[in-house]
Every structure is written in structure tokens, then in C-alpha cells.
Amino acid sequence: MKSYAVVLLFVLVLWCLPLATTQATEHDATDVPTRVAFINPGYGDRGFWKDVRDTMQAASDQFGYELIVFDSNRDSKMMIESAQKVFALEPAPDYIIAVNEHQQGTRIVLEAEERGIPVIMLLNDLTKEQKNAYGYPGRDFDHWIFSLTPDNERAGYDIAKSLIDNARLQAENRQPVPLCLLSIAGDSKTPASLQRLQGLDHALSRFPLLREQRRLVANWSYDEAYRQTENWLRRGGCVDAVWAANDDIALGAIAALEKAGRKPGKDVFVGGLNWSPAGLRNVADGKMTMTHGGHFFAGAWVMVLLHDYIHGVEFLSHHPEISFRMEAITRENISHFVDVLGSRDWNSLDFKDFSIANSPFGTEYNFVLHPGDGLRE
């Protein structure tokens, strides 16, 4: 993967069906748009899940699909209610896109299977324990058709490594003293959170300069991260670096550090994830070592893959568990990302260009963004 790109690259040998699937033919015959229901675990009007929803909507519009979204506002009870609303739709949706937030994915997969509705798991897949207990897509379920997830473990590792790299730069490449690390996770159940922590643990095993003092959980919240960091500092806790599971957590920690008279980017180093506008600004200002991310484009990529599944690209039937790698935005490469991420105009990207079904010579997926003169392969 080249550094100035967000790449989802699958080198594939594809067996293309001569005709579209039966379901696609039925939709073509009746001229009724494919209806896709998305059970959004987050907010629809702000934050990471708004970006997921918006990229999904842009791609859905371009493919001519009807997208029905139920927002759950990071509330486990609301997420159950959203799933109930989806299953109560009349007529039933043609496909369901769900997320294993709060580990609610199993009940959605099982009910979709019982009702015969194809379901896709996005971003947070079922855990290994859940799969061992209930089954795997494409093998044990007829209607759980595939999963699309980012490499969260690698992202967690990269955030931790960036803290050491920036400490070394600040020390003018002299060997820095050990860093007191405050780690702030998103939650204790979501697969994305657990996988990012696995990446952190891998970095801790490799880099003894990072000395974890405390591991906290902030429920993905700016306010909670601020409170937890402030309490730690008030108790005299040592902090030279903060590993944050997302940008909101990083920004909350930065606010608490600055209130205590610390200087992020100078005497304390903070890394986050999400490619949020505020995260990008703090990277540009040098207060954050990086914002990892690009995974909200999974909202668009899942529609590309669904389009190809409907139109008979057989790869997804044989490879139902798909992972893609995210990309770190740092102060060194941020200029190559600002155009498309600053405007958040996802309709400026033609997602149909990423479809194999739309390419007569397509043999592999190559999800690379080219926003004007910005990201380049």
C-alpha cells in the first residue's frame, strides 16, 4: 500500500457468473429498487457513524438502491429497537446491514436467517467466540452472506508506535526516556475496541519504552475521556503519552491535559483514530501524532460489494469474511487528504468505478480514493 492512499486491495481470481443472481433479475423485471436496511449503532447527525451512513447513502444513490436507516445513538436498547423496526418493515428489506455493537449482532443474524433475509455484518463482525457458538457466514448460514471489517489490530499498534516515534523526534532522535502511557479504550465488548487493544498489547510487548500506567474505558466519549484524564492527573498520575481508541477520546484527553498546563505534541503525545474534522485539525496543529482511519468509507465499500454480489460476482460467495487496512494521517501527509475530508462531499466520488461487475475486465478490487489532486495511488 502506498502512503498517500486509502487502499482496500484484494488480489482475487474471480469466477464471474454469466447472468445476474435470481434476486437481481427479479428486481430488474419489476423495476423495483433494491431495499437495504442499515441498523446504525451510532448517531445519524454527527460523528463517525454519520460518516459511515453518509458514504453508504452516497453509494446507494449512485447504484439506485433505496437505503433505510435506523439510528441507535450508541444506546444498546435503542439498537435492539432499531433491529425490531427493521424486521417489522412491510415489505421486508431485500438486505440488512448490521453491526456487532454491544455484541448484539448474533440476535440480528439469527433472526435474519429465520426470516430468510440476507444480512451483512459491517465494521464490527461477530467475535470468534460468537462464531464458534453459532456459526460462520457462508458455511453455517444461508443468509449471512458476508462481513466487511477493517484491520483494527494494526491500527491500535500504529497509534502506539506513533507515540514513540514522535517522542524520539521531539528528543531530536536521541533515545527518549521511558514514557508513562495512559491507555483509554472505547469499550470492553465491541470487537473493534477489543481488536485495537490487541494491537496496543502487541506494541507494548515490542516497545518497552511504553510503560502503561493505567487502562481506562471512556465509552467512545469526549466527556468521559476528559473526566477520566482529569481525575488521573489530579491524583498525580504520570502521563507522557495517551493511546486513544478514537478521536473523541483523544480530544477529551487533550482538553484535560491542556487544562493541567501540559502541552500536547511537546511534553505529552496523543494518538487517535477516526479521521474526524477535529482530529485532522489537531494533527495539523501538532497536538495529535496521528488520526488513523478511513474505515467510515466501509459504508460505501459495502454497497459496492453488495452491488457485485447481486450482479453475480461469485467471489463473495467463496470468501465471505473480508478485511481491509486503514491508513494513518499524520502531519507529514495530511495535505494529501484535506480536500475530500474537509468538504465531506462524498457524492464527488464515483463509487461505481470500484465495482468489478461494472468493469468488463475487472479481476480485482482496488479501493483507492482519487479526490481531485488529493489522494494518489
Side-chain angles (χ1 to χ4, degrees):
M1 178 170 48
K2 300 183 180 180
S3 61
Y4 301 128
V6 179
V7 181
L8 169 53
L9 178 60
F10 305 114
V11 179
L12 313 172
V13 177
L14 298 175
W15 301 267
C16 295
L17 296 180
L19 297 174
T21 62
T22 302
Q23 188 162 12
T25 303
E26 289 173 353
H27 284 300
D28 293 342
T30 59
D31 200 30
V32 175
T34 297
R35 298 171 70 243
V36 182
F38 174 39
I39 304 171
N40 178 14
Y43 294 93
D45 60 352
R46 63 186 185 273
F48 170 77
W49 288 104
K50 178 184 186 300
D51 286 332
V52 174
R53 173 182 172 151
D54 288 352
T55 61
M56 188 183 298
Q57 185 68 65
S60 298
D61 292 344
Q62 292 177 20
F63 286 117
Y65 299 158
E66 179 185 351
L67 182 64
I68 309 164
V69 182
F70 294 89
D71 300 317
S72 305
N73 298 348
R74 289 254 185 225
D75 185 306
S76 58
K77 292 182 180 179
M78 282 190 68
M79 188 170 168
I80 294 172
E81 293 171 1
S82 294
Q84 291 171 340
K85 291 176 181 177
V86 166
F87 288 117
L89 287 173
E90 290 291 345
D94 298 300
Y95 297 92
I96 295 171
I97 299 174
V99 182
N100 193 26
E101 197 90 350
H102 308 291
Q103 298 200 14
Q104 296 291 321
T106 299
R107 67 172 66 196
I108 297 172
V109 168
L110 292 174
E111 186 160 357
E113 182 74 10
E114 182 178 343
R115 293 171 179 263
I117 304 173
V119 63
I120 300 163
M121 297 304 299
L122 180 68
L123 287 164
N124 281 314
D125 199 359
L126 266 61
T127 65
K128 184 177 294 185
E129 292 75 18
Q130 287 173 311
K131 290 177 182 177
N132 288 338
Y134 296 97
Y136 287 74
R139 189 188 77 183
D140 304 300
F141 291 90
D142 293 328
H143 294 92
W144 180 8
I145 55 177
F146 63 85
S147 300
L148 178 64
T149 58
D151 188 347
N152 281 294
E153 184 173 349
R154 179 57 188 247
Y157 176 90
D158 287 346
I159 294 169
K161 186 174 182 297
S162 76
L163 303 174
I164 297 175
D165 291 342
N166 278 258
R168 285 176 173 155
L169 287 173
Q170 190 64 26
E172 297 181 348
N173 292 318
R174 297 189 303 271
Q175 184 72 2
V177 298
L179 302 175
C180 292
L181 176 68
L182 182 64
S183 306
I184 312 180
D187 61 46
S188 57
K189 290 185 177 180
T190 301
S193 181
L194 298 175
Q195 291 158 9
R196 288 172 201 175
L197 288 172
Q198 289 173 358
L200 169 61
D201 287 335
H202 180 49
L204 290 173
S205 70
R206 291 197 60 185
F207 305 117
L209 279 175
L210 281 178
R211 298 185 179 178
E212 189 175 39
Q213 306 297 301
R214 184 65 61 89
R215 184 169 295 191
L216 305 171
V217 176
N219 196 31
W220 307 104
S221 164
Y222 173 104
D223 292 336
E224 183 65 15
Y226 177 90
R227 185 185 67 81
Q228 299 247 28
T229 306
E230 185 179 47
N231 288 343
W232 177 251
L233 292 168
R234 186 181 294 122
R235 295 195 300 269
C238 179
V239 183
D240 300 310
V242 177
W243 181 99
N246 75 349
D247 284 351
D248 280 349
I249 292 172
L251 297 169
I254 285 172
L257 289 163
E258 290 182 328
K259 182 181 178 182
R262 303 295 298 275
K263 296 180 180 179
K266 301 294 185 182
D267 61 12
V268 61
F269 304 95
V270 183
L273 184 152
N274 264 9
W275 283 13
S276 68
L280 292 169
R281 288 193 297 271
N282 276 263
V283 168
D285 292 341
K287 294 182 179 181
M288 285 173 57
T289 60
M290 70 159 59
T291 175
H292 223 297
H295 53 318
F296 58 74
F297 277 104
W301 305 150
V302 73
M303 300 310 297
V304 172
L305 296 175
L306 176 58
H307 174 78
D308 284 5
Y309 177 88
I310 290 172
H311 287 82
V313 174
E314 197 176 3
F315 168 78
L316 294 168
S317 299
H318 297 281
H319 302 82
E321 296 181 272
I322 303 166
S323 178
F324 65 96
R325 185 170 173 177
M326 293 183 279
E327 180 80 358
I329 296 180
T330 67
R331 204 171 185 184
E332 287 69 38
N333 67 7
I334 192 171
S335 63
H336 299 280
F337 293 82
V338 292
D339 288 345
V340 69
L341 297 182
S343 68
R344 247 63 181 174
D345 179 14
W346 312 131
N347 288 307
S348 65
L349 302 170
D350 190 349
F351 295 110
K352 290 182 290 185
D353 288 345
F354 299 97
S355 164
I356 289 177
N358 287 5
S359 173
F361 304 107
T363 57
E364 62 182 36
Y365 286 109
N366 190 3
F367 288 176
V368 180
L369 297 182
H370 295 276
D373 294 328
L375 308 185
R376 295 186 181 277
E377 186 178 356

